[in-house]
Amino acid sequence: MSQPRLLTIDFLGIGSQIDGAENTSPAMDCQHQRMKRQSNQSCLGKIKPYILQQVLCQSQMEVNSAVSEGIKTMELFPRHGSGFQLENSKPPFKELMIFYNGEMKVFPDVSPERAEAIMMLAAGNGNILHSDEVSSFSTTASNILPLPTGLRKNVTISEEFSAEANQTLFHAKLPMAKKLSLQRFLEKRKDRLNRLLPYMTSSK
Amino acid sequence: MARVRSNGLSDEALQCVMAHLDEPLDRRAVSLVCKKWYEVDALTRKHVTVAFCYSISAADLTRRFKCLESLTVKGKPRAAMYNLLPPDWGGYAKPWIEHISFTCICLKALHLRRMILTDHDLGTFVRGRGHMLQSLKLEKCSGFSTRGLQDVARGCRSLKVFMLEESTIEEESGEWLHELALNNSSLEVLNFYMTGLEKINISDLELIVTNCPSLNSLKVSECDLLDLKNVLKKATALEEFGGGCFGNGQEHDVFQSIVFPPKLTSLLGLNFMAEAELPAILPRASALKKLDLQYTFLSTENHCQLVGLCPNLEVLEARNVIGDKGLEAVANNCKKLKRLRVERGADEPTLEDEQGWISHKGISSVAQGCPLLEYIAVYVSDMCNSTLETVGKCCKNLKDFRLVLLDKEEQITDLPLDNGVKALLQGCEKLNRFAFYVRPGGLTDVGLSYIGKYSTNIRWMLLGFAGETDLGLHEFSRGCPKLERLEIRGCFFSEAALASAVLSLKSLKYIWVQGYNATVTGANLLAMARPYWNIEFSPGLQLSRDLFSEDMEGEESQGQAAQILAYYSLAGRRTDHPQSVIPLAPSVFNWHQVAVF
């Protein structure tokens, strides 16, 4: 909590490039950098101011926390691989930002559990999902799906018990469905019999 | 131009030849030969069945087949018949009716099944096609009232087939039947069976049978059979009669005055018929080819007696009160039997006849006694492998086999049924529909792999509580080469395994799943995402989570377990789904469109 630290946000990834690429030929390097700058600038131009502000605020919070040391740089446009940059701050920031392949998506109002589920999906089963299908994590879905309270994790409870025990309990909770037509007939039959023999005790 | 030749055949010749092709599979093959044959097929195809209304848009279908004479469209999944779908799930007929009413100028017959249509839709259709409509079947449909039926009665004077079986109809009056009686003299089939319509004027029915000498099938709602005496007397051409009910507290010999038409071979409904009323139908018993006793009050003994008098029976439907004894009587007497259906009865023991259940013994008898069987659908209380082996050995004509093992008995003679299923599938080579609904332990992973391996011709399958783990499903999906439609219930497979299985089953066009090892969002299902493959997820309650919560009763939870519906579609993502159904694919967004902006 001493004097305010200097915060550098390396939008264009210039810093690390300069650090690591001293040996490359200057001509190629310049062209490469120009192209990179252009592509990054086009992306930069698309970011809404308030989002940028939040990113800055978040970084600010991190800087202010006792844990951080030195100058913090944050790559907004990672050049290699893809990854989620999940908000690790708790409320009020409930937005999930996904950076992928030079583009960014923001999902407002994502709970920590759901975010965790998404992270697990990408980390553990990430090989399963194809890139263009991930977009189905739409805001529509997140608003409609009621997240059950107390969800511990997105992994089913089955891992804690044997498959057989699960199946038996499962079976109890999913009784055989009755055909509507037959059900109607059996109800009518019950009514008739009750009318004819009022003293006949029912099974209940 | 007529001069242009295709493989040595002129266009006209090609059209003449193709006009004789009726089988859908033949037509499909022919349309893939070349562009010319595709065009000729499109011009000459008379009938199309759309097995699932969301697989293609009405516009695309009518654009391709301009000369369609008959169209069948099916809406809601079969699960709707078991109350497993929300009422607003979908299956709206409106877009279809809007297109076909004024585009298909040759359309003479329409059959809608499990769809929702309004009076307005009916009105539109009648305005467009009424003048030449010959057949209208609204089976298990809903959303319309007797006012819509009035429009049909008034506007379709050449109607030969008018079927409303099991539809939910809002009843305002019986005026529609009166209009039908006044305007129509060509009816051959009139069916408002199981519609619950009560405001039926018997004199209208009498007028119809008098005016329509070709009427060969009449199936009514629960009209008192005594009131129908005159109707039955006048309908001399009638071969099939269904519905009607036996009233309460009548003098029983009164029913002996009912005389069924001379050519009658099919009797269905006979609601609440008890032993004392049997004499009403006994005179016709020996001529009967089709008999449905599902809604009667007959005991096991009554069934035995009745069946013993029907040597010409080809179709028999009954509840399981028929018992093993009754099935034995069938095996001994009904050598010409082709279709057998034994439905489940009531759960409450006091209402059920004490012999009111069937087991492997009855099925064995029937399999051995009736070699012509093509369709067997039974709810059994007990089963063993040797019976299934017997079916495989004896029923060589079997095309459709459905077995449901009821939950009542704790102990089953012989589980798992792996070897029996294997023998059945190996023996019944013509089998193309198969349902196997058992309980945990009923079929192991090995058994499931047998189903995969030996289902060479099966196109539709229902599996209930079959298999044990994802491995079983994996092995299953390596087989089933012709499987097109699959329904799975209560099998504890994971989403990833299901997705992988879908991708392995090479002929699969449609899959419905309920009661599986669901995740919260259904996200793992995206592994099966591919072009033209729609994936719909209904989260419901998470059975795996609520497994241990005592407050959830079985009956409540069954309709609310998570569901998956996935199908090939040329129409894209559905737009008329309710809140409870979430289309996961195709997705709304793509990565080039950033949502925030």
Side-chain angles (χ1 to χ4, degrees):
Chain A
M1 294 269 261
S2 47
Q3 44 294 86
R5 294 179 187 251
L6 181 65
L7 172 70
T8 308
I9 300 178
D10 189 1
F11 279 104
L12 308 177
I14 297 172
S16 39
Q17 269 192 322
I18 291 173
D19 287 337
E22 276 165 4
N23 295 330
T24 55
S25 70
M28 243 178 71
D29 202 34
C30 258
Q31 200 178 28
H32 183 67
Q33 279 194 39
R34 200 181 303 132
M35 277 166 59
K36 267 234 67 97
R37 223 172 291 144
Q38 278 169 355
S39 72
N40 283 343
Q41 274 172 345
S42 65
C43 293
L44 199 58
K46 287 179 188 168
I47 301 178
K48 275 201 169 154
Y50 81 89
I51 291 178
L52 211 48
Q53 187 182 29
Q54 283 172 359
V55 169
L56 291 171
C57 286
Q58 190 214 339
S59 314
Q60 190 64 45
M61 276 175 69
E62 284 176 7
V63 165
N64 286 342
S65 72
V67 184
S68 65
E69 54 206 347
I71 293 172
K72 257 206 141 12
T73 54
M74 175 201 285
E75 269 194 56
L76 278 184
F77 304 104
R79 286 180 306 281
H80 47 271
S82 58
F84 293 154
Q85 293 218 359
L86 194 60
E87 302 253 353
N88 36 16
S89 60
K90 296 297 173 193
F93 300 109
K94 280 192 174 176
E95 278 175 355
L96 172 66
M97 279 186 266
I98 299 179
F99 297 82
Y100 187 75
N101 205 24
E103 292 173 347
M104 184 176 77
K105 256 202 180 179
V106 179
F107 299 96
D109 204 23
V110 178
S111 70
E113 291 93 351
R114 185 176 288 277
E116 222 179 280
I118 293 168
M119 272 209 296
M120 271 177 59
L121 212 56
N125 302 323
N127 297 328
I128 295 176
L129 296 175
H130 302 297
S131 54
D132 49 337
E133 267 77 67
V134 179
S135 58
S136 289
F137 284 117
S138 61
T139 44
T140 333
S142 66
N143 286 336
I144 286 174
L145 285 177
L147 254 198
T149 53
L151 176 67
R152 299 194 303 276
K153 49 184 178 170
N154 199 28
V155 179
T156 57
I157 297 168
S158 61
E159 286 162 10
E160 300 171 16
F161 298 85
S162 73
E164 207 183 303
N166 269 324
Q167 285 212 8
T168 320
L169 279 158
F170 200 57
H171 184 231
K173 292 293 181 184
L174 196 71
M176 211 175 286
K178 294 191 189 121
K179 211 172 189 180
L180 282 172
S181 51
L182 216 57
Q183 222 174 335
R184 268 181 251 133
F185 164 74
L186 292 171
E187 286 295 324
K188 281 184 214 160
R189 187 173 79 155
K190 209 178 188 179
D191 286 338
R192 272 205 167 202
L193 288 171
N194 284 338
R195 268 187 282 133
L196 286 174
L197 303 162
Y199 300 107
M200 187 175 92
T201 50
S202 71
S203 60
K204 297 265 156 66
Chain B
M1 291 302 292
R3 291 283 167 214
V4 173
R5 284 170 182 266
S6 158
N7 303 344
L9 274 176
S10 69
D11 262 12
E12 282 170 355
L14 199 57
Q15 282 188 30
C16 285
V17 170
M18 277 207 202
H20 292 279
L21 284 177
D22 291 322
E23 282 298 306
L25 291 175
D26 290 340
R27 279 279 178 170
R28 188 202 286 180
V30 139
S31 67
L32 294 172
V33 168
C34 64
K35 208 166 176 196
K36 166 67 71 183
W37 282 40
Y38 174 92
E39 285 163 12
V40 177
D41 164 65
L43 281 173
T44 56
R45 199 172 308 200
K46 300 273 188 324
H47 173 80
V48 167
T49 297
V50 180
F52 186 50
C53 62
Y54 293 109
S55 57
I56 187 169
S57 74
D60 285 339
L61 189 83
T62 50
R63 198 183 1 254
R64 178 174 170 187
F65 299 109
K66 294 194 169 60
C67 303
L68 219 51
E69 290 183 11
S70 159
L71 176 67
T72 298
V73 186
K74 299 185 191 176
K76 301 183 201 181
R78 267 180 13 104
M81 299 195 299
Y82 297 86
N83 210 16
L84 296 174
L85 297 181
D88 57 348
W89 180 90
Y92 302 103
K94 186 163 182 213
W96 291 92
I97 291 193
E98 278 173 350
H99 273 93
I100 62 178
S101 299
F102 302 100
T103 323
C104 294
I105 52 173
C106 303
L107 197 75
K108 297 192 283 198
L110 178 66
H111 181 179
L112 299 178
R113 195 169 190 200
R114 290 191 295 267
M115 296 195 80
I116 298 178
L117 70 161
T118 61
D119 287 340
H120 183 259
D121 296 331
L122 273 173
T124 308
F125 185 65
V126 169
R127 270 196 311 279
R129 304 304 318 144
H131 61 283
M132 56 186 271
L133 195 69
Q134 291 184 3
S135 169
L136 179 62
K137 296 184 189 174
L138 303 174
E139 191 187 345
K140 299 182 174 86
C141 293
S142 61
F144 58 101
S145 77
T146 44
R147 261 182 296 129
L149 299 182
Q150 258 179 270
D151 283 342
V152 173
R154 261 187 247 126
C156 309
R157 292 173 186 234
S158 28
L159 210 57
K160 289 187 187 171
V161 175
F162 192 25
M163 190 260 246
L164 301 166
E165 186 161 325
E166 242 187 297
S167 288
T168 307
I169 308 171
E170 206 184 300
E171 186 170 32
E172 293 185 4
S173 72
E175 196 53 37
W176 67 276
L177 194 65
H178 187 67
E179 294 273 1
L180 195 65
L182 293 177
N183 294 316
N184 193 301
S185 58
S186 50
L187 266 182
E188 292 172 13
V189 173
L190 175 59
N191 178 343
F192 52 97
Y193 183 49
M194 291 165 78
T195 52
L197 292 173
E198 289 170 352
K199 298 179 182 160
I200 302 295
N201 204 326
I202 302 295
S203 54
D204 290 331
L205 272 177
E206 288 179 22
L207 196 57
I208 289 177
V209 299
T210 313
N211 291 345
C212 304
S214 315
L215 193 71
N216 58 52
S217 169
L218 177 65
K219 287 158 89 171
V220 298
S221 51
E222 283 168 32
C223 310
D224 201 311
L225 218 68
L226 283 176
D227 295 339
L228 294 171
K229 254 201 300 196
N230 278 337
V231 174
L232 291 170
K233 214 191 298 183
K234 291 183 184 176
T236 46
L238 214 61
E239 291 168 22
E240 175 173 70
F241 176 74
C245 68
F246 289 82
N248 253 343
Q250 294 280 353
E251 283 301 312
H252 292 144
D253 45 344
V254 158
F255 291 102
Q256 285 180 319
S257 62
I258 295 176
V259 179
F260 284 100
K263 292 195 200 163
L264 198 77
T265 54
S266 290
L267 262 183
L268 311 97
L270 304 171
N271 291 284
F272 320 128
M273 181 171 80
E275 178 172 6
E277 287 118 25
L278 263 179
I281 67 170
L282 289 181
R284 292 276 177 264
S286 57
L288 285 179
K289 289 190 189 167
K290 180 170 178 181
L291 186 58
D292 181 354
L293 303 170
Q294 288 177 93
Y295 307 116
T296 60
F297 283 176
L298 298 173
S299 66
T300 308
E301 282 304 322
N302 297 148
H303 279 83
C304 293
Q305 181 197 5
L306 183 52
V307 147
L309 297 169
C310 303
N312 291 307
L313 216 53
E314 292 178 17
V315 178
L316 176 64
E317 297 187 49
R319 289 192 323 281
N320 57 3
V321 65
I322 192 174
D324 281 339
K325 253 181 109 181
L327 288 182
E328 228 177 276
V330 170
N332 291 331
N333 293 297
C334 311
K335 297 295 181 184
K336 301 184 188 174
L337 200 68
K338 289 192 185 153
R339 289 176 69 99
L340 174 69
R341 177 173 196 95
V342 182
E343 272 285 351
R344 69 189 283 194
D347 291 334
E348 297 96 2
T350 51
L351 292 176
E352 201 63 271
D353 189 305
E354 50 179 59
Q355 296 171 72
W357 44 269
I358 62 168
S359 75
H360 48 90
K361 296 197 195 91
I363 307 297
S364 269
S365 317
V366 168
Q368 289 168 322
C370 308
L372 299 178
L373 275 170
E374 292 174 6
Y375 172 105
I376 299 176
V378 287
Y379 281 75
V380 297
S381 303
D382 194 9
M383 188 42 57
C384 66
N385 282 289
S386 55
T387 298
L388 296 174
E389 284 164 18
T390 308
V391 174
K393 230 185 298 179
C394 301
C395 304
K396 292 300 181 188
N397 293 309
L398 206 61
K399 294 192 189 131
D400 194 330
F401 182 79
R402 306 181 197 205
L403 180 86
V404 179
L405 184 62
L406 290 172
D407 287 333
K408 261 193 286 191
E409 297 297 316
E410 287 266 344
Q411 275 290 100
I412 300 295
T413 298
D414 187 12
L415 287 185
L417 296 166
D418 296 0
N419 293 327
V421 166
K422 178 180 173 188
L424 191 147
L425 292 172
Q426 282 177 310
C428 302
E429 290 170 342
K430 296 186 191 174
L431 208 64
N432 56 44
R433 283 166 200 254
F434 181 66
F436 201 70
Y437 197 109
V438 286
R439 55 171 73 173
L443 196 77
T444 66
D445 280 345
V446 172
L448 197 52
S449 73
Y450 288 157
I451 298 184
K453 195 166 171 195
Y454 300 108
S455 314
T456 32
N457 290 315
I458 295 183
R459 287 186 282 117
W460 170 82
M461 200 183 294
L462 161 66
L463 295 172
F465 293 98
E468 297 161 305
T469 68
D470 288 350
L471 206 61
L473 181 63
H474 174 72
E475 289 300 311
F476 166 82
S477 65
R478 286 173 57 193
C480 299
K482 294 200 186 159
L483 191 65
E484 294 179 3
R485 297 167 71 91
L486 176 62
E487 296 173 31
I488 301 180
R489 192 166 192 259
C491 302
F492 207 62
F493 304 134
S494 67
E495 279 171 5
L498 284 165
S500 157
V502 163
L503 295 176
S504 306
L505 289 162
K506 34 190 182 166
S507 303
L508 199 72
K509 292 198 280 199
Y510 173 104
I511 180 169
W512 178 83
V513 186
Q514 190 197 29
Y516 68 103
N517 192 359
T519 59
V520 176
T521 57
N524 289 349
L525 295 170
L526 293 171
M528 61 174 168
R530 54 192 174 178
Y532 304 112
W533 186 250
N534 285 15
I535 306 173
E536 292 173 16
F537 176 67
S538 304
L541 295 168
Q542 299 305 302
L543 272 190
S544 48
R545 249 202 88 247
D546 295 316
L547 266 180
F548 308 108
S549 69
E550 289 305 313
D551 46 301
M552 182 54 57
E553 283 302 312
E555 288 290 335
E556 292 165 32
S557 67
Q558 70 166 347
Q560 296 179 15
Q563 285 185 33
I564 308 169
L565 180 65
Y567 53 95
Y568 271 126
S569 173
L570 296 171
R573 184 185 174 106
R574 183 148 88 98
T575 49
D576 59 3
H577 58 89
Q579 279 258 318
S580 55
V581 172
I582 298 164
L584 294 182
S587 60
V588 169
F589 305 114
N590 54 52
W591 275 103
H592 304 293
Q593 173 198 348
V594 184
V596 176
F597 314 108

